[in-house]
Amino acid sequence: MTSGSFTFPSPLAFSTLTLFLSSWLLLAPLLTPAVPLLTSPPCCLCPEGAHRFQWIRNVVPEFGISSSHVKVLSSPTEFYELLKAQIKAAKQRVVMASLYLGTGFLEQELVDCLEEMLDGSLQASGSSSDLRVSILLDFTRGSRGRKNSRTMLLPLLRRFPEQVRVSLFHTPNLRGLLRLLIPERFNETIGLQHIKVYLFDDNVILSGANLSDSYFTNRQDRYILLRDSPEIADFFTELVNAIGDVSLQLQEDDTVQMIEGMVHPYQGDKITYCEMANKRVMEVINSARTRQEFLHAETFHSSQGDHCFSQQDLYASGDVKPKPDTWVYPLIQMKPFGIQIDEMVTETLLTEAERGARVYLTTGYFNLTQAYMDLILGTRAEYQILLASPEVNGFFGAKGVAGAIPAAYVYIEHQFYNEVCCLGQQERVRLQEYFRNGWTFHAKGLWLYLAGSTLPCLTLIGSPNFGYRSVHRDLEAQVAIVTENRDLQHQLHQEQEQLYLRSGMVSPSTFEQPSRYVKLWVKLVTPLIKNFF
């Protein structure tokens, strides 16, 4: 990366910025201690080995579904067209959680689809309708600029006040003097609502993509559709509503207020607020887990019998639902509220990955936590890590400090690569950089191939980036999808291959390229600010 690509502030400005940012570390401490690892118990393995992951249901609900209900999407355009089609077809509920809603033509089309759907529901039912729209965004990101997510949604809220709810989550860590001093855009570094889930009746789209034009055109992400999955749709509806209940509610006059009886996120007592939020979210997780355990008992899914019998042998009777071949586990991470489920499960998956297993891990922002790095470097599985080349980083070419962020990621990548080389792990841990001309890269997640298998049996997909922010600052959600079905395994394998095919292997010569040059001040500042991006 050449220095001419960016406009940098003066050295004095950077000195001030460094002191300012480093002080944030003192003002936003960790709320909970290091998380213990789960221990996966021994269990009966089918040929694909999927059932070794049933330990996850000890902490979260397990949703068994048919693989025929799962569709893996591959492109931003496909994602956008599906969003519009699902909105238009919705009859009962639309639930959308995202970091923000953009303000361009494509985003306006989405809003128009929502308006058309709501209008149609009123005409069909008379003066009232049971159809509800619930939208959850981040307060700071959704309020940035004069035209923003809020102004985009106000017409809907004013026209359909009984049907539309817009909730704006505000991190409890941004408060007091800190909230007054940090300017717009930089205030987003303290903590965000980062969950991305798009739900229409009983259909759920899980993704890392936001509701913005680049995510609909040339910003590569991942997307999975779960069709006709009412239990999963109910869970994410309840989760979004729980977060919405502890969030600021957008009013028709563009003001915000809390639901009566709820503690304010930055004006009220922080500990009380976080305890209340923890209770609301954990009620959703635990009640869903209890419901699913009861369902398992009814369908013999959690019996102690041999899981390796065929579906036909176990479910020959007419009225019994066929045994599922795919399981979905929602993994929630909200460290500000003391909820660390995703961190626990991810660390355990990395720990338990056996010799000969292959882990394909991808992130648009390579900034792994120390715990994840230690597990990757210290365990036995093979890793292929896909990350963004500087040119496809979303901050590439930005002005000011933001324009230096790709260089900071290069520096972090180089440090990790040097550690891999020092440990002699180059053959077991490989880095690959994604590049596609005119595109940016935002895909995140993981595919796990068991030893001796050519297909993955597990994937993680959702909002987390495996970095410090995802673990400690933001609200995150992803799902672990485990499948025994070879057709779905082929879909996941093809998804992984398509992403990795657009990448080049990282080697020592990679960091000798002019585009990988990192200025000294970036190297000095990066350790101080790496926990904020």
Side-chain angles (χ1 to χ4, degrees):
M1 181 183 312
T2 59
S3 59
S5 301
F6 310 113
T7 302
F8 298 122
S10 67
L12 177 59
F14 278 119
S15 176
T16 304
L17 176 69
T18 301
L19 291 171
F20 185 55
L21 292 178
S22 62
S23 67
W24 294 358
L25 294 169
L26 300 175
L27 294 169
L30 301 183
L31 298 177
T32 52
V35 59
L37 290 181
L38 296 171
T39 302
S40 56
C43 55
C44 172
L45 297 182
C46 290
E48 296 83 1
H51 280 287
R52 70 174 60 193
F53 303 108
Q54 283 193 329
W55 55 266
I56 303 175
R57 74 181 183 194
N58 293 332
V59 289
V60 296
E62 175 187 74
F63 300 99
I65 62 174
S66 168
S67 56
S68 62
H69 293 182
V70 184
K71 182 180 180 183
V72 180
L73 311 180
S74 61
S75 73
T77 303
E78 192 178 8
F79 169 59
Y80 180 62
E81 294 302 325
L82 180 63
L83 284 175
K84 291 195 295 182
Q86 289 290 314
I87 290 173
K88 291 176 181 178
K91 303 298 182 186
Q92 298 172 323
R93 60 184 171 187
V94 171
V95 179
M96 306 174 81
S98 185
L99 174 61
Y100 69 105
L101 171 70
T103 58
F105 173 77
L106 296 180
E107 297 92 321
Q108 186 60 54
E109 268 196 48
L110 280 185
V111 176
D112 292 344
C113 286
L114 287 168
E115 183 176 16
E116 181 182 331
M117 172 206 60
L118 287 162
D119 206 18
S121 73
L122 283 179
Q123 291 179 12
S125 59
S127 59
S128 64
S129 170
D130 292 332
L131 190 149
R132 294 292 180 267
V133 174
S134 179
I135 299 173
L136 172 66
L137 305 172
D138 182 73
F139 177 87
T140 53
R141 184 64 181 86
S143 304
R144 186 202 293 178
R146 294 185 65 181
K147 186 178 182 182
N148 53 43
S149 304
R150 293 163 61 165
T151 59
M152 290 287 288
L153 293 169
L154 280 174
L156 283 183
L157 196 60
R158 289 165 178 163
R159 188 174 175 199
F160 306 99
E162 300 302 316
Q163 292 174 269
V164 176
R165 177 191 189 188
V166 179
S167 304
L168 302 167
F169 174 79
H170 190 294
T171 177
N173 287 332
L174 183 62
R175 55 174 50 231
L177 190 61
L178 188 67
R179 188 174 189 271
L180 294 174
L181 290 177
I182 300 182
E184 189 176 86
R185 189 171 188 179
F186 286 99
N187 58 11
E188 298 164 27
T189 63
I190 301 303
L192 296 166
Q193 191 306 109
H194 201 241
I195 295 169
K196 292 86 186 279
V197 60
Y198 308 108
L199 188 159
F200 314 92
D201 293 341
D202 293 337
N203 301 328
V204 182
I205 301 173
L206 295 158
S207 180
N210 292 304
L211 297 174
S212 181
D213 55 0
S214 63
Y215 294 91
F216 305 149
T217 53
N218 63 346
R219 187 156 172 75
Q220 184 63 58
D221 216 297
R222 298 180 65 208
Y223 335 84
I224 288 184
L225 169 66
L226 306 177
R227 291 184 293 240
D228 301 322
S229 302
E231 292 93 355
I232 300 173
D234 288 346
F235 173 83
F236 279 106
T237 297
E238 292 171 13
L239 178 68
V240 171
N241 285 339
I243 302 168
D245 287 348
V246 299
S247 298
L248 296 159
Q249 306 299 303
L250 183 63
Q251 306 299 304
E252 294 177 40
D253 60 356
D254 198 22
T255 61
V256 294
Q257 65 183 39
M258 291 297 292
I259 295 175
E260 186 175 353
M262 293 293 179
V263 181
H264 199 283
Y266 63 86
Q267 294 177 352
D269 180 74
K270 180 178 176 180
I271 293 176
T272 304
Y273 173 81
C274 291
E275 288 176 347
M276 177 189 67
N278 175 288
K279 182 180 178 182
R280 287 288 290 114
V281 174
M282 289 308 300
E283 281 175 353
V284 172
I285 295 170
N286 290 331
S287 62
R289 185 166 163 250
T290 300
R291 286 197 305 268
Q292 292 308 112
E293 285 176 347
F294 180 75
L295 182 62
H296 297 153
E298 278 193 327
T299 59
F300 307 103
H301 184 59
S302 58
S303 70
Q304 298 301 308
D306 187 349
H307 293 288
C308 298
F309 288 135
S310 69
Q311 184 168 312
Q312 291 78 8
D313 291 336
L314 291 173
Y315 293 84
S317 58
D319 293 332
V320 180
K321 286 178 68 176
K323 180 184 176 184
D325 59 6
T326 300
W327 296 268
V328 178
Y329 303 92
L331 308 178
I332 311 304
Q333 184 75 12
M334 301 178 181
K335 190 72 170 283
F337 304 156
I339 299 172
Q340 301 168 253
I341 295 170
D342 180 61
E343 182 184 3
M344 285 194 295
V345 172
T346 302
E347 288 191 7
T348 306
L349 286 172
L350 299 182
T351 301
E352 298 292 320
E354 62 200 338
R355 187 181 303 278
R358 289 176 294 140
V359 177
Y360 289 78
L361 186 151
T362 180
T363 173
Y365 303 110
F366 184 74
N367 187 17
L368 302 179
T369 65
Q370 191 61 50
Y372 290 159
M373 286 193 288
D374 290 343
L375 286 170
I376 290 170
L377 294 173
T379 51
R380 298 155 294 179
E382 297 176 11
Y383 285 86
Q384 288 190 235
I385 302 173
L386 182 64
L387 48 106
S389 64
E391 296 83 359
V392 299
N393 186 293
F395 292 96
F396 184 76
K399 294 181 179 180
V401 177
I405 290 178
Y409 281 117
V410 169
Y411 182 59
I412 294 168
E413 174 192 351
H414 196 180
Q415 284 186 311
F416 180 74
Y417 182 75
N418 284 341
E419 193 167 354
V420 170
C421 294
C422 287
L423 294 172
Q425 301 282 343
Q426 302 96 307
E427 294 302 313
R428 191 182 64 82
V429 180
R430 300 183 180 186
L431 301 183
Q432 295 177 234
E433 287 187 352
Y434 181 96
F435 177 79
R436 188 174 182 182
N437 192 37
W439 284 58
T440 57
F441 184 70
H442 197 250
K444 58 204 73 171
L446 177 153
W447 300 261
L448 175 60
Y449 296 66
L450 296 178
S453 177
T454 58
L455 297 173
C457 65
L458 177 147
T459 191
L460 300 181
I461 180 171
S463 64
N465 279 299
F466 305 104
Y468 186 94
R469 287 201 57 146
S470 293
V471 171
H472 294 285
R473 297 190 180 282
D474 298 339
L475 305 192
E476 305 278 12
Q478 65 179 341
V479 295
I481 300 177
V482 179
T483 185
E484 294 177 342
N485 181 270
R486 292 190 69 82
D487 288 341
L488 180 52
Q489 289 178 351
H490 274 288
Q491 279 194 66
L492 295 172
H493 177 67
Q494 185 177 26
E495 177 198 30
Q496 177 270 117
E497 279 196 325
Q498 286 180 343
L499 291 173
Y500 278 71
L501 280 173
R502 294 187 178 275
S503 69
M505 198 68 68
V506 172
S507 68
S509 62
T510 301
F511 302 101
E512 297 173 2
Q513 299 173 23
S515 62
R516 302 305 192 277
Y517 174 71
V518 181
K519 287 181 172 289
L520 176 60
W521 73 263
V522 175
K523 295 179 181 179
L524 295 174
V525 170
T526 296
L528 299 173
I529 65 171
K530 64 181 292 187
N531 293 342
F532 294 90
F533 60 83

